[in-house]
């Protein structure tokens, strides 16, 4: 008698698809975290505290200054919610790319080069920390509070702008993680420098761009355009004037800002992987 293993048709189709192996790895990562429930709960509690502390920094600042860069505390809730929600989602998908220096130093990156799949996609799907959803939840609560407390003229365009901003800002921050990963091929022990692109950019996105001096304003509006993740959309949602030289319709340019960051990410990643010469693993 011959025994055969019968799999559901949909699972067999998914396994045979191009992205089937990545989906299988992600499912295994999620299952592994659900097994150790106490560890997962403690990690989620820690991530929640991080999100609350970051929000407390903004709340204390705007509670004391009352109006900063043309925004009050209610507007700051909107600014923080949009930027931090997008960053938390990007960190959920790509935050573990900052472990790349350890893989290079230990020679473990060679394993990824042996598999017939793109290295970047393998690294992105090599981890999926569900605890980071806690930080995204904090940001979502702040965003909803900001939407309720501010006088927003609701329309199809308003909803479309919010959805477009969250999606494009998530893609933009994910691109910054890839830019930082590409730099780490050269800066093995310079993780703090590369983190300035990601975590520094996230912090800058929670502040009104108008408070920055001109060089930093150009940096965060053009070179590393994190101002498109929340600041310009917040001004458009509230009908507030922006800094001189930055019209309100820039709020709809977040797709172009995300595309620009991914051009940088693709170039930096290609340059870094071509420079990589194995760690002897």
């Amino acid at each position: 008698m011959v025994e055969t293993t019968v799999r559901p048709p949909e699972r067999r189709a998914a396994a045979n698809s191009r992205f089937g192996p990545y989906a299988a790895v992600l499912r295994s990562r999620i299952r592994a975290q659900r097994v150790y429930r106490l560890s997962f709960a403690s990690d989620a509690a820690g991530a929640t505290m991080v999100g609350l502390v970051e929000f407390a920094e903004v709340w204390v600042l705007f509670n004391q200054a009352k109006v900063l860069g043309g925004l009050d505390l209610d507007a700051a809730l909107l600014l923080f919610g949009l930027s931090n929600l997008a960053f938390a989602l990007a960190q959920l998908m790509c935050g573990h790319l900052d472990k790349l220096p350890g893989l290079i130093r230990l020679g473990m990156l060679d394993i990824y080069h042996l598999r017939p799949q793109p290295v970047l996609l393998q690294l992105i799907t090599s981890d999926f920390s569900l605890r980071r959803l806690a930080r995204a939840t904090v940001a979502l609560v702040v965003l909803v509070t900001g939407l309720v407390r501010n006088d927003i003229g609701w329309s199809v365009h308003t909803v479309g702008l919010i959805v477009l901003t969250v999606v494009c800002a998530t893609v933009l921050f994910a691109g910054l993680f890839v830019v930082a990963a590409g730099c780490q091929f050269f800066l093995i022990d310079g993780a703090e420098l590369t983190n300035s692109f990601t975590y520094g950019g996230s912090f800058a996105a929670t502040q009104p761009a108008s408070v920055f001096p001109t060089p930093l304003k150009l940096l965060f509006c053009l070179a590393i355009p994190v101002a498109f993740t929340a600041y310009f959309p917040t001004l458009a949602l509230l009908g507030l004037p922006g800094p001189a030289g930055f019209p309100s319709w820039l709020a709809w340019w977040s797709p172009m800002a995300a595309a620009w960051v991914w051009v940088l990410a693709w170039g930096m990643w290609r340059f870094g992987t071509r420079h990589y010469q194995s760690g002897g693993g």
Side-chain angles (χ1 to χ4, degrees):
M1 179 178 181
V2 179
E3 295 183 355
T4 58
T5 301
V6 179
R7 291 182 296 179
E10 63 275 10
R11 179 168 296 185
R12 183 168 60 248
N16 294 331
S17 68
R18 180 177 181 182
F19 297 100
Y22 303 109
V25 171
L26 285 177
R27 284 197 298 269
S28 70
R29 302 300 182 195
I30 294 173
R31 281 198 302 269
Q33 294 172 65
R34 291 168 56 189
V35 169
Y36 301 99
R37 296 183 179 180
L38 181 59
S39 175
F40 172 73
S42 62
D43 286 346
T48 303
M49 287 302 299
V50 170
L52 291 175
V53 168
E54 289 182 340
F55 170 68
E57 293 176 356
V58 175
W59 183 83
V60 169
L61 180 63
F62 279 87
N63 191 49
Q64 295 298 318
K66 302 303 180 184
V67 177
L68 183 64
L71 303 183
D72 58 11
L73 179 58
D74 288 342
L77 296 177
L78 201 56
L79 180 70
F80 178 88
L82 285 172
S83 62
N84 225 36
L85 175 61
F87 182 78
L89 294 177
Q91 190 185 33
L92 178 69
M93 295 183 291
C94 302
H96 48 279
L97 290 179
D98 58 6
K99 298 178 181 177
L100 186 62
L103 297 177
I104 296 174
R105 191 180 297 108
L106 298 174
M108 297 178 63
L109 189 63
D110 298 358
I111 299 173
Y112 294 86
H113 281 89
L114 293 175
R115 298 168 182 161
Q117 300 290 343
V119 175
L120 181 58
L121 280 180
Q122 291 185 63
L123 288 171
I124 289 175
T125 55
S126 64
D127 195 4
F128 193 82
S129 298
L130 289 175
R131 61 182 172 81
R132 288 169 174 160
L133 285 174
R135 181 175 177 177
T137 302
V138 173
L140 181 61
V141 171
V142 175
L143 174 59
V144 172
T145 305
L147 292 173
V148 171
R149 291 179 62 90
N150 285 286
D151 184 17
I152 299 175
W154 288 101
S155 65
V156 175
H157 288 81
T158 303
V159 176
L161 178 59
I162 294 173
V163 173
L164 181 71
T165 299
V166 173
V167 172
C168 293
T170 303
V171 174
L172 189 152
F173 280 124
L176 288 183
F177 277 110
V178 176
V179 171
C183 294
Q184 287 169 349
F185 282 101
F186 305 91
L187 305 171
I188 302 299
D189 294 320
E192 290 78 9
L193 176 61
T194 56
N195 285 343
S196 64
F197 292 106
T198 52
Y199 297 96
S202 171
F203 178 77
T206 62
Q207 307 298 322
S210 56
V211 301
F212 297 130
T214 300
L216 287 181
K217 200 179 296 180
L218 294 175
L219 174 66
F220 295 127
C221 292
L222 299 177
I224 306 175
V226 293
F228 288 85
T229 62
Y231 178 61
F232 290 130
T234 297
L235 294 179
L237 289 171
L238 301 180
L240 299 174
F246 295 94
S248 60
W249 45 262
L250 283 177
W252 294 91
W253 276 42
S254 54
M256 275 63 79
W260 162 245
V261 170
W262 270 96
V263 168
L264 295 177
W266 180 83
M268 198 64 229
W269 180 257
R270 291 277 295 175
F271 189 49
T273 50
R274 289 186 177 185
H275 169 80
Y276 178 66
Q277 296 179 347
S278 175

